[in-house]
Amino acid sequence: MASLIVTGGRPLSGTIRVSGAKNAALPILAASLLAEGAVALYDCPRLRDVENMLAILRALGVCCSWEGEALLLDPSTANAYVMPQGLSKELRSSIFMLGPLLARFGHAVCTFPGGCEIGHRPIDLHLRGLAMLGVEIREEHGLILCEGRSMTGTDIHLDYPSVGATENIMMAAVRAEGETVIQNAAREPEIEDLQAFLRKLGYAVTGAGSSTIRICGSHALGAGEQPVGCISHRVIPDRIVAGTLLCAAAVAGGEITLKNAVPAHVASVMAKLREAGCTLSAEGDTIHIASCARPREIKLIETLPYPGFPTDMQAQFFTLCTIANGTSMIVENVFENRFKHGAELLRMGASFTQKDRTIVIRGVERLMGTRVVARDLRGGAALTLAGLAAEGETIVENAELIDRGYECFDGMLASLGAEIRRKDTE
């Protein structure tokens, strides 16, 4: 158990480098099973979710080690296709392993995945897509058993542009016989990064970033068809970390500069920050933000699949709107249970009303520090940002949930001038 203790009232200033993206690293780690030889990943964040994924890979026989800034993987020793139940239940992204395991071994066994309880996140799109490739799937005693020794490429239309389902189908289809076309595919930058990695492994994947992705399968790639030697890949910057830091500056006040950012990936976030009165500029991999005296109201935020406003930034903007000058509205279209941070913000003096997936927030001049509890990853980050603006001290409990998506969140904010410290307890 851990807590973050924040003393509010200090504006942020300085420059900080954005870390690699968790949501890009996790599917790439799963896809490493498709490599014939060694893989070196750079800018892979050292997060709890990443460590859980590495533990799953080790249980499957993959050699994993950190050497300086590089994460080295040797999948040539992989010898199992049954994922450990305990680890799978802790990590939502463990479902990514189905596609690579089927492509590698023709079999895969996993349990239903865990993660933050932010709403109903069915995996039926994953399973339906794999079934269309010819995978036989059955459930027994809480386990998902898949057999796919004869996968065949096909046309797959997703009912919803699910990121995870798109990635899982991509990874399975690289070893299916013939061509697979995914229609209504998710368009997130993390999918483009997965495509870049798969192409380095020698697989023919095109279209990531658009709604149509094509995979030319190769039923049994030989070692000679993959690049010789260690394959290197650098994970893209984390757009949610970047957005959270930009939002922190808007909440706390001050000016900060982000390095190693991709402005195009956070365009929707930057647009809403401008609406709130902040001044932003971007050049190359650098983003600069200067806050205003008090944020202005944001008329409407609707979470949508990329390139719309990201659901993973909803909670942080909820905090921003609680101190805005006016009335703001947020509509959560992606997850139905992602307002758990609202009850904790009420304890800090926030004022809002909720009906179903819509929140109407009336901004107050200041929040009051108190003890609050993080219920999920992004909600925990939002409560920490609230502490930056609150009067007095805020204690955010369950801070270990924040560790799932931010590498030393307290250290990042402290480097920008926040008064924040971490307390770990048994």
PDB file of all heavy atoms in Angstrom, residues 158-190:
ATOM      1  N   LEU A 158     -14.944  -5.271 -37.208  1.00  0.00           N
ATOM      2  CA  LEU A 158     -15.168  -5.103 -35.772  1.00  0.00           C
ATOM      3  C   LEU A 158     -16.427  -4.268 -35.542  1.00  0.00           C
ATOM      4  O   LEU A 158     -16.609  -3.220 -36.161  1.00  0.00           O
ATOM      5  CB  LEU A 158     -13.968  -4.418 -35.118  1.00  0.00           C
ATOM      6  CG  LEU A 158     -12.643  -5.194 -35.136  1.00  0.00           C
ATOM      7  CD1 LEU A 158     -11.532  -4.359 -34.535  1.00  0.00           C
ATOM      8  CD2 LEU A 158     -12.783  -6.506 -34.374  1.00  0.00           C
ATOM      9  N   ASP A 159     -17.285  -4.725 -34.630  1.00  0.00           N
ATOM     10  CA  ASP A 159     -18.483  -3.961 -34.289  1.00  0.00           C
ATOM     11  C   ASP A 159     -18.128  -2.635 -33.632  1.00  0.00           C
ATOM     12  O   ASP A 159     -18.882  -1.663 -33.739  1.00  0.00           O
ATOM     13  CB  ASP A 159     -19.380  -4.768 -33.345  1.00  0.00           C
ATOM     14  CG  ASP A 159     -19.994  -5.985 -34.022  1.00  0.00           C
ATOM     15  OD1 ASP A 159     -20.075  -5.980 -35.268  1.00  0.00           O
ATOM     16  OD2 ASP A 159     -20.365  -6.934 -33.313  1.00  0.00           O
ATOM     17  N   TYR A 160     -16.989  -2.614 -32.952  1.00  0.00           N
ATOM     18  CA  TYR A 160     -16.500  -1.407 -32.281  1.00  0.00           C
ATOM     19  C   TYR A 160     -14.992  -1.363 -32.497  1.00  0.00           C
ATOM     20  O   TYR A 160     -14.332  -2.414 -32.450  1.00  0.00           O
ATOM     21  CB  TYR A 160     -16.820  -1.465 -30.778  1.00  0.00           C
ATOM     22  CG  TYR A 160     -16.343  -0.271 -29.991  1.00  0.00           C
ATOM     23  CD1 TYR A 160     -17.108   0.890 -29.909  1.00  0.00           C
ATOM     24  CD2 TYR A 160     -15.112  -0.299 -29.325  1.00  0.00           C
ATOM     25  CE1 TYR A 160     -16.674   1.996 -29.183  1.00  0.00           C
ATOM     26  CE2 TYR A 160     -14.665   0.799 -28.613  1.00  0.00           C
ATOM     27  CZ  TYR A 160     -15.450   1.947 -28.538  1.00  0.00           C
ATOM     28  OH  TYR A 160     -15.010   3.028 -27.839  1.00  0.00           O
ATOM     29  N   PRO A 161     -14.413  -0.171 -32.727  1.00  0.00           N
ATOM     30  CA  PRO A 161     -12.962  -0.117 -32.978  1.00  0.00           C
ATOM     31  C   PRO A 161     -12.144  -0.339 -31.707  1.00  0.00           C
ATOM     32  O   PRO A 161     -11.501   0.580 -31.181  1.00  0.00           O
ATOM     33  CB  PRO A 161     -12.769   1.289 -33.556  1.00  0.00           C
ATOM     34  CG  PRO A 161     -13.882   2.104 -32.968  1.00  0.00           C
ATOM     35  CD  PRO A 161     -15.051   1.151 -32.872  1.00  0.00           C
ATOM     36  N   SER A 162     -12.169  -1.553 -31.216  1.00  0.00           N
ATOM     37  CA  SER A 162     -11.457  -1.922 -29.988  1.00  0.00           C
ATOM     38  C   SER A 162      -9.951  -1.991 -30.239  1.00  0.00           C
ATOM     39  O   SER A 162      -9.502  -2.674 -31.159  1.00  0.00           O
ATOM     40  CB  SER A 162     -11.952  -3.285 -29.498  1.00  0.00           C
ATOM     41  OG  SER A 162     -11.047  -3.868 -28.587  1.00  0.00           O
ATOM     42  N   VAL A 163      -9.199  -1.279 -29.399  1.00  0.00           N
ATOM     43  CA  VAL A 163      -7.741  -1.285 -29.538  1.00  0.00           C
ATOM     44  C   VAL A 163      -7.197  -2.690 -29.307  1.00  0.00           C
ATOM     45  O   VAL A 163      -6.438  -3.230 -30.114  1.00  0.00           O
ATOM     46  CB  VAL A 163      -7.098  -0.291 -28.557  1.00  0.00           C
ATOM     47  CG1 VAL A 163      -5.569  -0.381 -28.626  1.00  0.00           C
ATOM     48  CG2 VAL A 163      -7.555   1.129 -28.861  1.00  0.00           C
ATOM     49  N   GLY A 164      -7.586  -3.294 -28.185  1.00  0.00           N
ATOM     50  CA  GLY A 164      -7.062  -4.607 -27.851  1.00  0.00           C
ATOM     51  C   GLY A 164      -7.416  -5.667 -28.865  1.00  0.00           C
ATOM     52  O   GLY A 164      -6.581  -6.499 -29.247  1.00  0.00           O
ATOM     53  N   ALA A 165      -8.655  -5.666 -29.339  1.00  0.00           N
ATOM     54  CA  ALA A 165      -9.070  -6.660 -30.329  1.00  0.00           C
ATOM     55  C   ALA A 165      -8.313  -6.467 -31.637  1.00  0.00           C
ATOM     56  O   ALA A 165      -7.873  -7.435 -32.271  1.00  0.00           O
ATOM     57  CB  ALA A 165     -10.575  -6.572 -30.561  1.00  0.00           C
ATOM     58  N   THR A 166      -8.151  -5.209 -32.059  1.00  0.00           N
ATOM     59  CA  THR A 166      -7.386  -4.936 -33.279  1.00  0.00           C
ATOM     60  C   THR A 166      -5.981  -5.500 -33.168  1.00  0.00           C
ATOM     61  O   THR A 166      -5.482  -6.170 -34.086  1.00  0.00           O
ATOM     62  CB  THR A 166      -7.332  -3.417 -33.548  1.00  0.00           C
ATOM     63  OG1 THR A 166      -8.665  -2.909 -33.719  1.00  0.00           O
ATOM     64  CG2 THR A 166      -6.512  -3.110 -34.786  1.00  0.00           C
ATOM     65  N   GLU A 167      -5.329  -5.246 -32.037  1.00  0.00           N
ATOM     66  CA  GLU A 167      -3.940  -5.689 -31.859  1.00  0.00           C
ATOM     67  C   GLU A 167      -3.844  -7.205 -31.766  1.00  0.00           C
ATOM     68  O   GLU A 167      -2.928  -7.817 -32.327  1.00  0.00           O
ATOM     69  CB  GLU A 167      -3.357  -5.011 -30.618  1.00  0.00           C
ATOM     70  CG  GLU A 167      -3.202  -3.508 -30.802  1.00  0.00           C
ATOM     71  CD  GLU A 167      -2.812  -2.777 -29.540  1.00  0.00           C
ATOM     72  OE1 GLU A 167      -3.177  -3.227 -28.433  1.00  0.00           O
ATOM     73  OE2 GLU A 167      -2.131  -1.736 -29.643  1.00  0.00           O
ATOM     74  N   ASN A 168      -4.778  -7.822 -31.065  1.00  0.00           N
ATOM     75  CA  ASN A 168      -4.742  -9.277 -30.925  1.00  0.00           C
ATOM     76  C   ASN A 168      -4.903  -9.968 -32.274  1.00  0.00           C
ATOM     77  O   ASN A 168      -4.185 -10.917 -32.599  1.00  0.00           O
ATOM     78  CB  ASN A 168      -5.855  -9.728 -29.971  1.00  0.00           C
ATOM     79  CG  ASN A 168      -5.363 -10.679 -28.911  1.00  0.00           C
ATOM     80  OD1 ASN A 168      -4.336 -11.323 -29.070  1.00  0.00           O
ATOM     81  ND2 ASN A 168      -6.095 -10.758 -27.813  1.00  0.00           N
ATOM     82  N   ILE A 169      -5.851  -9.477 -33.064  1.00  0.00           N
ATOM     83  CA  ILE A 169      -6.067 -10.062 -34.392  1.00  0.00           C
ATOM     84  C   ILE A 169      -4.843  -9.854 -35.275  1.00  0.00           C
ATOM     85  O   ILE A 169      -4.428 -10.765 -36.013  1.00  0.00           O
ATOM     86  CB  ILE A 169      -7.325  -9.459 -35.037  1.00  0.00           C
ATOM     87  CG1 ILE A 169      -8.570  -9.829 -34.225  1.00  0.00           C
ATOM     88  CG2 ILE A 169      -7.475  -9.945 -36.479  1.00  0.00           C
ATOM     89  CD1 ILE A 169      -9.803  -9.024 -34.578  1.00  0.00           C
ATOM     90  N   MET A 170      -4.238  -8.664 -35.221  1.00  0.00           N
ATOM     91  CA  MET A 170      -3.025  -8.401 -35.997  1.00  0.00           C
ATOM     92  C   MET A 170      -1.947  -9.422 -35.689  1.00  0.00           C
ATOM     93  O   MET A 170      -1.324  -9.990 -36.596  1.00  0.00           O
ATOM     94  CB  MET A 170      -2.486  -6.997 -35.686  1.00  0.00           C
ATOM     95  CG  MET A 170      -3.273  -5.849 -36.274  1.00  0.00           C
ATOM     96  SD  MET A 170      -2.728  -4.243 -35.616  1.00  0.00           S
ATOM     97  CE  MET A 170      -1.041  -4.149 -36.246  1.00  0.00           C
ATOM     98  N   MET A 171      -1.729  -9.679 -34.389  1.00  0.00           N
ATOM     99  CA  MET A 171      -0.624 -10.559 -33.987  1.00  0.00           C
ATOM    100  C   MET A 171      -0.904 -12.007 -34.340  1.00  0.00           C
ATOM    101  O   MET A 171       0.011 -12.756 -34.694  1.00  0.00           O
ATOM    102  CB  MET A 171      -0.348 -10.387 -32.493  1.00  0.00           C
ATOM    103  CG  MET A 171       0.264  -9.036 -32.158  1.00  0.00           C
ATOM    104  SD  MET A 171       0.731  -8.852 -30.419  1.00  0.00           S
ATOM    105  CE  MET A 171      -0.848  -8.529 -29.644  1.00  0.00           C
ATOM    106  N   ALA A 172      -2.159 -12.436 -34.271  1.00  0.00           N
ATOM    107  CA  ALA A 172      -2.485 -13.808 -34.665  1.00  0.00           C
ATOM    108  C   ALA A 172      -2.389 -13.966 -36.175  1.00  0.00           C
ATOM    109  O   ALA A 172      -1.885 -14.973 -36.688  1.00  0.00           O
ATOM    110  CB  ALA A 172      -3.881 -14.178 -34.173  1.00  0.00           C
ATOM    111  N   ALA A 173      -2.854 -12.946 -36.902  1.00  0.00           N
ATOM    112  CA  ALA A 173      -2.975 -13.063 -38.358  1.00  0.00           C
ATOM    113  C   ALA A 173      -1.641 -13.108 -39.078  1.00  0.00           C
ATOM    114  O   ALA A 173      -1.580 -13.564 -40.226  1.00  0.00           O
ATOM    115  CB  ALA A 173      -3.816 -11.902 -38.897  1.00  0.00           C
ATOM    116  N   VAL A 174      -0.546 -12.671 -38.447  1.00  0.00           N
ATOM    117  CA  VAL A 174       0.743 -12.691 -39.148  1.00  0.00           C
ATOM    118  C   VAL A 174       1.193 -14.117 -39.455  1.00  0.00           C
ATOM    119  O   VAL A 174       2.015 -14.329 -40.362  1.00  0.00           O
ATOM    120  CB  VAL A 174       1.849 -11.949 -38.345  1.00  0.00           C
ATOM    121  CG1 VAL A 174       1.519 -10.476 -38.176  1.00  0.00           C
ATOM    122  CG2 VAL A 174       2.105 -12.605 -37.003  1.00  0.00           C
ATOM    123  N   ARG A 175       0.653 -15.097 -38.746  1.00  0.00           N
ATOM    124  CA  ARG A 175       1.004 -16.497 -39.018  1.00  0.00           C
ATOM    125  C   ARG A 175      -0.161 -17.286 -39.619  1.00  0.00           C
ATOM    126  O   ARG A 175      -0.085 -18.505 -39.727  1.00  0.00           O
ATOM    127  CB  ARG A 175       1.474 -17.177 -37.725  1.00  0.00           C
ATOM    128  CG  ARG A 175       2.809 -16.655 -37.181  1.00  0.00           C
ATOM    129  CD  ARG A 175       3.982 -17.206 -37.953  1.00  0.00           C
ATOM    130  NE  ARG A 175       5.247 -16.748 -37.407  1.00  0.00           N
ATOM    131  CZ  ARG A 175       5.988 -17.434 -36.534  1.00  0.00           C
ATOM    132  NH1 ARG A 175       5.562 -18.593 -36.095  1.00  0.00           N
ATOM    133  NH2 ARG A 175       7.139 -16.945 -36.113  1.00  0.00           N
ATOM    134  N   ALA A 176      -1.259 -16.588 -39.936  1.00  0.00           N
ATOM    135  CA  ALA A 176      -2.359 -17.270 -40.607  1.00  0.00           C
ATOM    136  C   ALA A 176      -2.046 -17.425 -42.094  1.00  0.00           C
ATOM    137  O   ALA A 176      -1.228 -16.692 -42.649  1.00  0.00           O
ATOM    138  CB  ALA A 176      -3.656 -16.477 -40.415  1.00  0.00           C
ATOM    139  N   GLU A 177      -2.697 -18.350 -42.726  1.00  0.00           N
ATOM    140  CA  GLU A 177      -2.484 -18.595 -44.148  1.00  0.00           C
ATOM    141  C   GLU A 177      -3.320 -17.603 -44.960  1.00  0.00           C
ATOM    142  O   GLU A 177      -4.532 -17.544 -44.830  1.00  0.00           O
ATOM    143  CB  GLU A 177      -2.911 -20.028 -44.494  1.00  0.00           C
ATOM    144  CG  GLU A 177      -2.450 -20.487 -45.871  1.00  0.00           C
ATOM    145  CD  GLU A 177      -0.950 -20.681 -45.962  1.00  0.00           C
ATOM    146  OE1 GLU A 177      -0.380 -21.372 -45.094  1.00  0.00           O
ATOM    147  OE2 GLU A 177      -0.352 -20.131 -46.907  1.00  0.00           O
ATOM    148  N   GLY A 178      -2.661 -16.793 -45.793  1.00  0.00           N
ATOM    149  CA  GLY A 178      -3.380 -15.850 -46.626  1.00  0.00           C
ATOM    150  C   GLY A 178      -3.515 -14.476 -45.995  1.00  0.00           C
ATOM    151  O   GLY A 178      -2.866 -14.166 -44.988  1.00  0.00           O
ATOM    152  N   GLU A 179      -4.371 -13.656 -46.581  1.00  0.00           N
ATOM    153  CA  GLU A 179      -4.503 -12.256 -46.157  1.00  0.00           C
ATOM    154  C   GLU A 179      -5.681 -12.071 -45.209  1.00  0.00           C
ATOM    155  O   GLU A 179      -6.755 -12.625 -45.402  1.00  0.00           O
ATOM    156  CB  GLU A 179      -4.695 -11.342 -47.378  1.00  0.00           C
ATOM    157  CG  GLU A 179      -4.771  -9.865 -47.012  1.00  0.00           C
ATOM    158  CD  GLU A 179      -4.976  -8.965 -48.214  1.00  0.00           C
ATOM    159  OE1 GLU A 179      -6.069  -9.036 -48.821  1.00  0.00           O
ATOM    160  OE2 GLU A 179      -4.055  -8.196 -48.553  1.00  0.00           O
ATOM    161  N   THR A 180      -5.431 -11.255 -44.191  1.00  0.00           N
ATOM    162  CA  THR A 180      -6.481 -10.842 -43.261  1.00  0.00           C
ATOM    163  C   THR A 180      -6.684  -9.343 -43.406  1.00  0.00           C
ATOM    164  O   THR A 180      -5.712  -8.586 -43.439  1.00  0.00           O
ATOM    165  CB  THR A 180      -6.103 -11.178 -41.804  1.00  0.00           C
ATOM    166  OG1 THR A 180      -5.959 -12.588 -41.669  1.00  0.00           O
ATOM    167  CG2 THR A 180      -7.165 -10.674 -40.835  1.00  0.00           C
ATOM    168  N   VAL A 181      -7.939  -8.917 -43.482  1.00  0.00           N
ATOM    169  CA  VAL A 181      -8.282  -7.496 -43.558  1.00  0.00           C
ATOM    170  C   VAL A 181      -9.172  -7.164 -42.364  1.00  0.00           C
ATOM    171  O   VAL A 181     -10.232  -7.785 -42.185  1.00  0.00           O
ATOM    172  CB  VAL A 181      -9.006  -7.141 -44.868  1.00  0.00           C
ATOM    173  CG1 VAL A 181      -9.346  -5.648 -44.903  1.00  0.00           C
ATOM    174  CG2 VAL A 181      -8.139  -7.514 -46.068  1.00  0.00           C
ATOM    175  N   ILE A 182      -8.731  -6.220 -41.526  1.00  0.00           N
ATOM    176  CA  ILE A 182      -9.520  -5.771 -40.371  1.00  0.00           C
ATOM    177  C   ILE A 182     -10.192  -4.460 -40.742  1.00  0.00           C
ATOM    178  O   ILE A 182      -9.516  -3.460 -41.002  1.00  0.00           O
ATOM    179  CB  ILE A 182      -8.640  -5.581 -39.120  1.00  0.00           C
ATOM    180  CG1 ILE A 182      -7.801  -6.830 -38.837  1.00  0.00           C
ATOM    181  CG2 ILE A 182      -9.503  -5.235 -37.913  1.00  0.00           C
ATOM    182  CD1 ILE A 182      -6.785  -6.641 -37.718  1.00  0.00           C
ATOM    183  N   GLN A 183     -11.509  -4.471 -40.779  1.00  0.00           N
ATOM    184  CA  GLN A 183     -12.293  -3.272 -41.054  1.00  0.00           C
ATOM    185  C   GLN A 183     -12.814  -2.689 -39.740  1.00  0.00           C
ATOM    186  O   GLN A 183     -13.074  -3.426 -38.789  1.00  0.00           O
ATOM    187  CB  GLN A 183     -13.479  -3.606 -41.968  1.00  0.00           C
ATOM    188  CG  GLN A 183     -13.098  -4.192 -43.310  1.00  0.00           C
ATOM    189  CD  GLN A 183     -12.642  -3.123 -44.306  1.00  0.00           C
ATOM    190  OE1 GLN A 183     -12.541  -1.946 -43.985  1.00  0.00           O
ATOM    191  NE2 GLN A 183     -12.387  -3.550 -45.536  1.00  0.00           N
ATOM    192  N   ASN A 184     -12.990  -1.363 -39.731  1.00  0.00           N
ATOM    193  CA  ASN A 184     -13.363  -0.635 -38.511  1.00  0.00           C
ATOM    194  C   ASN A 184     -12.338  -0.885 -37.413  1.00  0.00           C
ATOM    195  O   ASN A 184     -12.668  -1.012 -36.235  1.00  0.00           O
ATOM    196  CB  ASN A 184     -14.766  -1.011 -38.019  1.00  0.00           C
ATOM    197  CG  ASN A 184     -15.311   0.005 -37.022  1.00  0.00           C
ATOM    198  OD1 ASN A 184     -14.989   1.195 -37.086  1.00  0.00           O
ATOM    199  ND2 ASN A 184     -16.122  -0.456 -36.085  1.00  0.00           N
ATOM    200  N   ALA A 185     -11.083  -0.966 -37.821  1.00  0.00           N
ATOM    201  CA  ALA A 185      -9.985  -1.145 -36.871  1.00  0.00           C
ATOM    202  C   ALA A 185      -9.797   0.114 -36.031  1.00  0.00           C
ATOM    203  O   ALA A 185     -10.105   1.229 -36.465  1.00  0.00           O
ATOM    204  CB  ALA A 185      -8.692  -1.456 -37.624  1.00  0.00           C
ATOM    205  N   ALA A 186      -9.306  -0.058 -34.822  1.00  0.00           N
ATOM    206  CA  ALA A 186      -8.937   1.094 -33.998  1.00  0.00           C
ATOM    207  C   ALA A 186      -7.772   1.825 -34.653  1.00  0.00           C
ATOM    208  O   ALA A 186      -6.951   1.224 -35.354  1.00  0.00           O
ATOM    209  CB  ALA A 186      -8.570   0.639 -32.589  1.00  0.00           C
ATOM    210  N   ARG A 187      -7.671   3.140 -34.416  1.00  0.00           N
ATOM    211  CA  ARG A 187      -6.694   3.971 -35.128  1.00  0.00           C
ATOM    212  C   ARG A 187      -5.636   4.576 -34.204  1.00  0.00           C
ATOM    213  O   ARG A 187      -4.887   5.447 -34.615  1.00  0.00           O
ATOM    214  CB  ARG A 187      -7.448   5.100 -35.846  1.00  0.00           C
ATOM    215  CG  ARG A 187      -8.444   4.595 -36.870  1.00  0.00           C
ATOM    216  CD  ARG A 187      -9.414   5.680 -37.319  1.00  0.00           C
ATOM    217  NE  ARG A 187      -8.711   6.832 -37.874  1.00  0.00           N
ATOM    218  CZ  ARG A 187      -9.297   7.989 -38.170  1.00  0.00           C
ATOM    219  NH1 ARG A 187     -10.595   8.147 -37.945  1.00  0.00           N
ATOM    220  NH2 ARG A 187      -8.598   8.987 -38.668  1.00  0.00           N
ATOM    221  N   GLU A 188      -5.578   4.130 -32.968  1.00  0.00           N
ATOM    222  CA  GLU A 188      -4.670   4.709 -31.994  1.00  0.00           C
ATOM    223  C   GLU A 188      -3.207   4.640 -32.424  1.00  0.00           C
ATOM    224  O   GLU A 188      -2.803   3.696 -33.121  1.00  0.00           O
ATOM    225  CB  GLU A 188      -4.841   4.001 -30.647  1.00  0.00           C
ATOM    226  CG  GLU A 188      -5.936   4.549 -29.765  1.00  0.00           C
ATOM    227  CD  GLU A 188      -7.341   4.251 -30.239  1.00  0.00           C
ATOM    228  OE1 GLU A 188      -7.512   3.569 -31.272  1.00  0.00           O
ATOM    229  OE2 GLU A 188      -8.293   4.693 -29.588  1.00  0.00           O
ATOM    230  N   PRO A 189      -2.383   5.610 -31.990  1.00  0.00           N
ATOM    231  CA  PRO A 189      -0.946   5.590 -32.314  1.00  0.00           C
ATOM    232  C   PRO A 189      -0.244   4.321 -31.840  1.00  0.00           C
ATOM    233  O   PRO A 189       0.734   3.888 -32.456  1.00  0.00           O
ATOM    234  CB  PRO A 189      -0.402   6.826 -31.590  1.00  0.00           C
ATOM    235  CG  PRO A 189      -1.580   7.732 -31.427  1.00  0.00           C
ATOM    236  CD  PRO A 189      -2.756   6.832 -31.243  1.00  0.00           C
ATOM    237  N   GLU A 190      -0.737   3.738 -30.755  1.00  0.00           N
ATOM    238  CA  GLU A 190      -0.111   2.527 -30.236  1.00  0.00           C
ATOM    239  C   GLU A 190      -0.227   1.366 -31.225  1.00  0.00           C
ATOM    240  O   GLU A 190       0.639   0.473 -31.262  1.00  0.00           O
ATOM    241  CB  GLU A 190      -0.750   2.146 -28.895  1.00  0.00           C
ATOM    242  CG  GLU A 190      -0.477   3.140 -27.768  1.00  0.00           C
ATOM    243  CD  GLU A 190      -1.343   4.384 -27.805  1.00  0.00           C
ATOM    244  OE1 GLU A 190      -2.344   4.401 -28.580  1.00  0.00           O
ATOM    245  OE2 GLU A 190      -1.056   5.346 -27.068  1.00  0.00           O
TER     246      GLU A 190
END
